Amino acid sequence: MTATPAFTGDANPYQGGDPYADYRTADFPFTRYANLADRRLGAGVVAANDEFFAQRENLLVPERAEFDPGHFGHKGKIMDGWETRRRRGDRAEHPWPTAEDHDWALIRLGVPGVVRGVVVDTAHFRGNHPQAVSVEAASVPGSPSPEELLGDDVKWTTLVPRTPVGGHAANGFPVSLERRFTHLRVNQHPDGGIARLRVYGEVAPDCAWLTALGTFDVVALENGGSVEDASDLFYSPATNTIQPGRSRTMDDGWETRRRRDQGHDWIRYRLVAQSWIRAVEIDTACLKGNSAGWASVSVRDGEDGDWREILPRTRLQPDTNHRFVLPEPAVGTHARIDIFPDGGISRLRLHGSPTESGAARLAARHTEPGG
C-alpha cells in the first residue's frame, strides 16, 4: 500500500495560471472505500461555530474546489470552502489565540459506517489554512439536533488527533478504529479555511430499519452494498451505479471507453449480506448515444461460489429504466453485471431481502465493536 505523506506549512502564493499546478496530494489507499460524507447519501454540515468568510456547506460539495482570484465580496476574498475569521487574544498584552482556541463544524454522515480514512483538503487556502486539525466521531441514533450533539452526554471518540496540516494540499489521515459512527466533529486549530472534507469508510446500515422494510435494494451503497472491481473506469466510477436516486446527468452513471476489440465490460459487486434477489432494475438514464447495447446479471454465493446467470443477455434501450421480475428468487452474496460490448449504465438495483444467515451477519455488523 502507498505510504500516506504529510504536508505542513504554507503553500506558495498564487502566481497565475492553473491554480492546481502546485497542489499537493497523494494516492491515499483508503480512498477505495465509499465517501460516507457524500451529499448524495444524505450527508450534511449541520452546524459550525463560525463561517464568516465562507460557508460550512462548501465542505461537502462533490466537485473539487474552484478558485477565482478576482472574486471578492463585502467581507473579503470569496473562497470555495469553509473559512472562519482570524482569532485574537483577549487583551492587548496577549493578542494571540490560546492553545485551546479552535473552530469546529459538525458533520452528519450520509450513512453510518466504519471510517477508514479522512481527507482534509485545503485547496487554494495557501496562507490562511489552519495550523492543525483534529477529527472526532460519535454514534448517535435518530436525527439529533446540533444542540443535542453538543450535549454533555454525547461521547466523542478521536479519529485524528491534533495534527499539523499543509496549505493547498490534500491532507490524508488513515483511521484504524473498528467502530460504527454517525457524526463527525472537525476542528481547525486555531482558525482558517478548509476547502473539502472526505470521509472514506465501510457502510454499516441500521439493520432494524432494513428489517422493517422487508424488501429493499441489496446492492445499494446506502444499504451497505459496494463495488469490488470493474473492467473500465475511464470516464466515471462504477460506484455511481449504486448511488441513491436516478442519474440527472450523463457523468452521474458509469461509462466505459469505446472498445475496439471483441470483449465486453463488467462490474462486480458485494451485496449488503447474503440475500434472496427477486427483481432487477437496470437504468440507462441520461445515456443516449452511449448506453450499453445488451446486459446480463449473474450472482454467486460466497467468495468461491460459481457465477450463475439470473438475467440472460438482454437488449437495453437508451435513457430507459428496465425492470425485470425474476421467475424465482436467486440467493447470493455477490453480483456482476456484464454489458455488451461497451458503453454504460446509470444504476443497478437488486431488490430482495437477506437470508436468515445474511440477516444475522448484518445485525453483527451493526453492533459497535468495542463499545
Side-chain angles (χ1 to χ4, degrees), residues 231-232 256-266 339 341-343:
S231 62
D232 187 288
T256 71
R257 74 191 84 195
R258 299 189 188 211
R259 278 191 171 269
R260 303 307 188 196
D261 57 22
Q262 299 299 305
H264 73 282
D265 290 312
W266 51 267
I339 64 170
D342 56 21

Side-chain angles (χ1 to χ4, degrees), residues 91-146:
R91 61 190 185 278
E93 294 76 19
H94 197 285
W96 311 280
T98 69
E100 292 74 29
D101 284 343
H102 68 278
D103 294 316
W104 53 264
L106 295 177
I107 313 297
R108 179 189 65 244
L109 297 179
V111 285
V114 179
V115 178
R116 298 303 183 194
V118 176
V119 173
V120 178
D121 189 348
T122 58
H124 316 305
F125 290 95
R126 296 170 177 269
N128 51 347
H129 61 286
Q131 183 182 32
V133 300
S134 60
V135 181
E136 302 163 280
S139 184
V140 184
S143 303
S145 67

Side-chain angles (χ1 to χ4, degrees), residues 281-297:
E281 283 187 78
I282 303 174
D283 195 353
T284 59
C286 302
L287 296 165
K288 299 179 180 180
N290 53 350
S291 65
W294 291 262
S296 64
V297 176

